[in-house]
Amino acid sequence: AQSVSQHNHHVILSEAASLELGCNYSYGGTVNLFWYVQYPGQHLQLLLKYFSGDPLVKGIKGFEAEFIKSKFSFNLRKPSVQWSDTAEYFCAVKEGGGADGLTFGKGTHLIIQP
Amino acid sequence: GAVVSQHPSWVICKSGTSVKIECRSLDFQATTMFWYRQFPKQSLMLMATSNEGSKATYEQGVEKDKFLINHASLTLSTLTVTSAHPEDSSFYICSAPTSSGTQYFGPGTRLLVL
């Protein structure tokens, strides 16, 4: 069974700081990779996804992520965070090509201080 | 993005009763839907895959007789928690993939069993 590791469970940053959240997965085959965000009191929303092609993917709200196959990683980045980025961030993986459910990491709780 | 709804958003029931949760894809059809469970401050765990017109497939450790799933149409899947007990209290979330393979999540249903 595949697993997903998010290295930071809690991250506290000041506004305008740069952000990088780590995500590593265990599956060695073709994967589809996702980052979801859950704002307080709201449901999961897709930030960005990688299926194939350019390993640097850009998502909504200025977020981007880079797929590094050799490192089994899909880290999320944002050059300058805002207070409104305070949320829970989940990395998720699916084996490519199948109609399978997602395997989620434990999530990272990001707090942005004004 | 695609929209997935869930009903009810929260439910409180007595131990021993059954509770039905509905998941609907509002603007697209989904032959497959997924049910997840999220414990407080933890990640989402895939419970089962709901298949339109056929039996659901359950993840290891999930009791199929406890969590009944019916995928009645291309836009509706239901999860029934039978003979609920306090340990079934949790946040239940469904998702549905669009034709592109991206999963969109419902807002979740919070179940409290007294």
Side-chain angles (χ1 to χ4, degrees):
Chain A
Q2 55 182 278
S3 64
V4 179
S5 298
Q6 290 183 240
H7 315 299
N8 313 101
H9 297 301
H10 297 277
V11 174
I12 301 175
L13 294 172
S14 298
E15 277 195 311
S18 64
L19 170 72
E20 180 161 3
L21 300 182
C23 173
N24 287 89
Y25 61 93
S26 63
Y27 183 65
T30 302
V31 291
N32 298 151
L33 298 157
F34 306 84
W35 275 97
Y36 286 88
V37 61
Q38 188 172 31
Y39 296 104
Q42 297 188 30
H43 62 281
L44 283 167
Q45 299 176 37
L46 180 68
L47 267 182
L48 47 78
K49 62 185 178 183
Y50 171 81
F51 283 7
S52 64
D54 188 346
L56 183 62
V57 292
K58 295 189 184 299
I60 61 172
K61 306 186 180 186
F63 286 92
E64 65 178 32
E66 184 174 13
F67 169 52
I68 303 179
K69 188 175 182 179
S70 61
K71 295 184 177 180
F72 297 88
S73 71
F74 190 56
N75 292 354
L76 180 70
R77 299 194 293 251
K78 186 171 183 177
S80 177
V81 295
Q82 300 172 306
W83 176 78
S84 57
D85 292 324
T86 295
E88 191 85 20
Y89 292 80
F90 293 97
C91 179
V93 175
K94 183 180 83 68
E95 293 179 24
D100 299 323
L102 302 181
T103 300
F104 281 83
K106 291 186 181 297
T108 296
H109 189 197
L110 175 66
I111 297 174
I112 306 301
Q113 296 176 326
Chain B
V3 179
V4 176
S5 71
Q6 276 184 247
H7 178 80
S9 55
W10 58 271
V11 58
I12 302 173
C13 69
K14 292 182 179 180
S15 186
T17 60
S18 295
V19 174
K20 181 187 284 188
I21 303 170
E22 293 185 348
C23 176
R24 293 181 186 272
S25 56
L26 297 185
D27 49 0
F28 66 102
Q29 295 181 331
T31 56
T32 302
M33 292 184 178
F34 302 95
W35 287 97
Y36 296 83
R37 185 172 177 176
Q38 185 178 27
F39 291 99
K41 300 188 186 299
Q42 294 190 31
S43 188
L44 285 77
M45 298 294 292
L46 179 65
M47 297 174 65
T49 302
S50 173
N51 303 298
E52 191 269 337
S54 64
K55 291 182 179 180
T57 53
Y58 291 81
E59 296 300 301
Q60 192 171 12
V62 178
E63 300 175 57
K64 61 181 180 181
D65 295 330
K66 159 69 85 174
F67 299 101
L68 299 180
I69 291 173
N70 184 281
H71 200 134
S73 74
L74 290 171
T75 59
L76 173 64
S77 173
T78 60
L79 169 68
T80 301
V81 183
T82 62
S83 187
H85 288 96
E87 58 266 30
D88 299 323
S89 298
S90 192
F91 195 52
Y92 293 88
I93 306 173
C94 72
S95 74
T98 60
S99 57
S100 70
T102 300
Q103 289 192 25
Y104 290 88
F105 286 80
T109 297
R110 190 164 301 282
L111 170 63
L112 177 61
V113 184
L114 301 176

